[in-house]
Amino acid sequence: MYTATSLNSSDLLAMFQTPTREDFFFSSSRRCIWVNGPVIVGAGPSGLAVGACLKRQGVPFIVLERANCIASLWQNRTYDRLKLHLPKRFCQLPNFPFPEEFPEYPSKFQFITYLEAYARHFDISPNFNETVQSAKYDETFGLWRVQTVSNIGPVPVEIEYVCRWLVVATGENAEKVVPEFEGLEKFSGDVSHACDYKSGESYRGKRVLVVGCGNSGMEVSLDLCNHNSNPSMVVRSSVHVLPREILGRSTFELAATLMKWMSLRMVDRVLLAAARVMQGNLQKYGLKRPSLGPLELKNVEGKTPVLDIGALAKVRSGEIKVVPGIKKFSSGKVELVDGRILEIDSVILATGYRSNVPSWLKENDFFSEDGIPKNPFPNGWKGKAGLYAVGFTRKGLSGASLDAISVAMDVAKNWKEETKQKKTTMAAKHRRCISHF
Ligand SMILES: Cc1cc2nc3c(=O)[nH]c(=O)nc-3n(C[C@H](O)[C@H](O)[C@H](O)COP(=O)(O)OP(=O)(O)OC[C@H]3O[C@@H](n4cnc5c(N)ncnc54)[C@H](O)[C@@H]3O)c2cc1C
Ligand SMILES: NC(=O)C1=CN([C@@H]2O[C@H](COP(=O)(O)OP(=O)(O)OC[C@H]3O[C@@H](n4cnc5c(N)ncnc54)[C@H](OP(=O)(O)O)[C@@H]3O)[C@@H](O)[C@H]2O)C=CC1
Ligand SMILES: O=C(O)C(=O)Cc1c[nH]c2ccccc12
């Protein structure tokens, strides 16, 4: 620890060269740490990617992560049978390809193995069990103050980090969305969110209401079928279901290729025409399509189209029953908006996720109320006063990688300029010091 009395000029010089978390002082209740470089909040794919890009530029940083591991969404909040939806080349992080032996659509366990290798390769060691509670720009000093609670030891410790740059990498899926339903408190069976679903093993033989028909709702319903349980899936509005592949090529890749030649709306038309040929009309199964096309809807509302990996066949066969919106719950039952009453044993809420940025970032210029940068891709990564965002592009892992490269380049440029200036100032002071003696 550096204290006022133990500081000498070479310590000061060292401070601007190497350390990333040097304790300046202890106050009675809160430890305060100066960070010579950016503070990155979140150790998911986005935080790791920006860390890796900064390492390559020689910029020190720290990563703060509330969970006890990297990529906690993938490790703790996803089901066992999850596979990446997009081909692996669209999901790799900068400067570190997937192993060749990985399949085209890696499993979540392979993806986690990859991310762990990524963190090791770039020597990224996040501070785990440390939740950012608040981050505020201090206009007087031109610095960010980032307040955390660390739960490593027997008692929680409050820490304040002070830094010039703040990189928000907490993700579009930081918190689960749990809607309120009339009478749910009277429902006697178990109610959980898709983020806690691991497999259908414990649902064998049960009647399960899956609320929501995004990728989670569809895949949980499919997995339930595969474990001989009996899912009813709530589709309260509309949904785009697309085949994962068209003519042997990934639908996502086809869309990305077509986007080079046509407008987004034209690409949507091509995708819908192909889906129509391959899937037929889905309305008769209760799956109405939204009025906006799949890519336009993703851009405008952030709603991801379902890439079908088998749920549609189960809908057709009647193994997954599609039901309309929920009116209310009662003991062991749900009443639907069409008046039907179903007897059910369990409810799984596949009702989506949201960003948590508004709960801790004291700023309302760059981020909107829903915790996503106001400027759409590709202009949503840089805010004012050293604030950055990575992974809020609604473009999955490929968007996160692009952000990470832009953010790291910009931070590195600024860090190098500011550090050079500080070193020059320090060196001048050092010389004055020596001449004084
Ligand atoms: C089930 C599921 C499957 C998906 N599949 C794909 C796919 O196949 N392809 C694709 O491109 N995208 C997919 N996605 C999208 C997903 O958002 C990205 O894959 C990726 O996880 C985004 O990375 P991230 O680092 O931005 O966010 P996250 O992975 O969510 O990481 C954010 C991290 O920040 C931490 N954090 C949050 N708040 C705080 C705080 N206050 N203090 C400290 N730490 C905090 C979290 O604990 C977390 O570890 C999927 C999403 C889900 C939910
Ligand atoms: N293999 C993969 O790659 C997978 C990827 N993912 C990704 O994770 C992200 C999150 O997906 P997901 O968890 O499916 O969340 P989504 O936000 O995509 O879907 C939420 C669903 O819940 C419905 N819903 C919300 N509130 C209610 C309510 N009160 N009553 C009835 N229905 C309700 C929504 O309906 P409405 O549209 O009417 O609001 C929608 O159908 C997406 O980007 C997705 O692509 C998820 C699973 C697998
Ligand atoms: O699965 C996700 O959550 C993704 O964000 C991947 C994704 C980004 N853009 C898309 C467009 C169509 C289908 C999936 C995605």
Side-chain angles (χ1 to χ4, degrees):
M1 189 190 76
Y2 289 100
T3 63
T5 48
S6 69
L7 271 178
N8 60 35
S9 52
S10 55
D11 285 335
L12 275 170
L13 265 175
M15 254 169 50
F16 287 104
Q17 283 164 357
T18 46
T20 54
R21 44 178 302 175
E22 297 303 336
D23 299 5
F24 260 145
F25 58 84
F26 286 96
S27 72
S28 54
S29 62
R30 176 167 286 165
R31 240 169 101 195
C32 188
I33 297 170
W34 162 252
V35 180
N36 170 31
V39 165
I40 301 169
V41 188
S46 299
L48 296 176
V50 75
C53 295
L54 287 167
K55 275 270 160 141
R56 281 168 61 96
Q57 304 251 19
V59 179
F61 59 88
I62 60 162
V63 184
L64 304 174
E65 168 56 56
R66 66 179 171 183
N68 62 358
C69 59
I70 62 157
S72 69
L73 174 70
W74 289 86
Q75 305 224 42
N76 300 335
R77 293 188 285 141
T78 51
Y79 42 94
D80 294 343
R81 70 179 307 283
L82 176 66
K83 284 185 180 166
L84 294 180
H85 256 181
L86 313 183
K88 60 178 180 178
R89 66 189 160 284
F90 294 105
C91 296
Q92 66 198 16
L93 302 183
N95 307 308
F96 196 75
F98 277 110
E100 270 191 19
E101 64 274 17
F102 270 27
E104 182 73 340
Y105 299 98
S107 70
K108 85 154 181 184
F109 298 108
Q110 287 169 321
F111 186 52
I112 292 165
T113 306
Y114 165 80
L115 291 174
E116 274 169 346
Y118 192 85
R120 255 195 326 273
H121 179 79
F122 291 104
D123 192 23
I124 302 170
S125 311
N127 295 7
F128 292 121
N129 300 300
E130 205 168 327
T131 306
V132 172
Q133 307 277 4
S134 126
K136 198 170 189 278
Y137 188 65
D138 186 327
E139 303 259 354
T140 318
F141 296 103
L143 294 168
W144 285 93
R145 294 177 173 274
V146 183
Q147 290 169 2
T148 72
V149 171
S150 166
N151 287 303
I152 309 175
V155 284
V157 178
E158 290 185 10
I159 305 175
E160 180 171 87
Y161 296 90
V162 180
C163 58
R164 275 283 294 114
W165 302 278
L166 178 65
V167 182
V168 179
T170 46
E172 295 162 349
N173 303 307
E175 309 295 333
K176 57 188 173 192
V177 168
V178 179
E180 284 188 4
F181 294 101
E182 190 187 336
L184 191 58
E185 69 289 349
K186 295 185 206 133
F187 178 69
S188 29
D190 57 292
V191 181
S192 57
H193 190 275
C195 69
D196 295 314
Y197 179 91
K198 292 290 159 214
S199 98
E201 198 51 52
S202 55
Y203 293 94
R204 272 183 201 282
K206 290 194 174 164
R207 298 156 301 182
V208 186
L209 187 75
V210 178
V211 186
C213 59
N215 279 298
S216 298
M218 290 277 179
E219 294 196 7
V220 164
S221 299
L222 173 62
D223 192 54
L224 286 167
C225 285
N226 292 336
H227 287 87
N228 293 322
S229 73
N230 180 3
S232 298
M233 183 175 69
V234 174
V235 182
R236 70 165 174 184
S237 59
S238 55
V239 59
H240 276 301
V241 184
L242 300 175
R244 190 183 63 175
E245 272 147 10
I246 295 171
L247 298 173
R249 277 182 79 189
S250 134
T251 303
F252 184 85
E253 184 184 12
L254 181 72
T257 311
L258 292 177
M259 285 291 292
K260 293 184 192 144
W261 310 105
M262 313 172 182
S263 69
L264 183 124
R265 285 192 177 170
M266 277 302 286
V267 179
D268 269 346
R269 279 200 210 159
V270 174
L271 294 181
L272 289 174
R276 178 73 198 222
V277 171
M278 292 172 70
Q279 301 170 328
N281 182 357
L282 301 181
Q283 189 145 359
K284 63 180 176 214
Y285 302 110
L287 302 173
K288 194 175 143 244
R289 287 199 184 272
S291 47
L292 291 183
L295 298 184
E296 195 174 5
L297 191 68
K298 174 85 174 156
N299 269 3
V300 174
E301 288 179 28
K303 198 169 157 182
T304 317
V306 170
L307 292 177
D308 179 42
I309 55 160
L312 203 50
K314 302 285 183 192
V315 169
R316 280 204 190 91
S317 70
E319 287 165 88
I320 299 175
K321 287 173 214 64
V322 173
V323 300
I326 294 163
K327 190 158 176 226
K328 62 175 187 208
F329 286 92
S330 57
S331 178
K333 295 193 183 86
V334 61
E335 184 180 337
L336 304 169
V337 289
D338 62 2
R340 257 187 299 163
I341 294 177
L342 304 182
E343 295 201 352
I344 47 170
D345 301 303
S346 308
V347 177
I348 298 173
L349 301 171
T351 42
Y353 300 87
R354 62 176 168 81
S355 160
N356 66 10
V357 174
S359 71
W360 58 268
L361 184 65
K362 310 294 173 230
E363 188 272 352
N364 51 17
D365 193 28
F366 182 48
F367 280 88
S368 63
E369 269 175 25
D370 61 0
I372 305 286
K374 286 179 187 167
N375 288 336
F377 181 81
N379 301 316
W381 56 272
K382 185 173 178 179
K384 287 189 190 133
L387 177 64
Y388 297 89
V390 179
F392 295 89
T393 61
R394 292 171 168 165
K395 293 193 183 305
L397 294 157
S398 54
S401 291
L402 291 172
D403 277 349
I405 294 167
S406 309
V407 168
M409 290 234 304
D410 204 65
V411 172
K413 189 172 130 272
N414 291 320
W415 180 84
K416 281 172 192 163
E417 274 167 17
E418 293 199 9
T419 308
K420 209 164 79 189
Q421 267 177 19
K422 273 178 191 146
K423 270 191 204 165
T424 319
T425 320
M426 283 300 155
K429 278 190 185 159
H430 189 68
R431 273 197 302 279
R432 276 207 299 279
C433 219
I434 292 167
S435 62
H436 181 77
F437 285 100

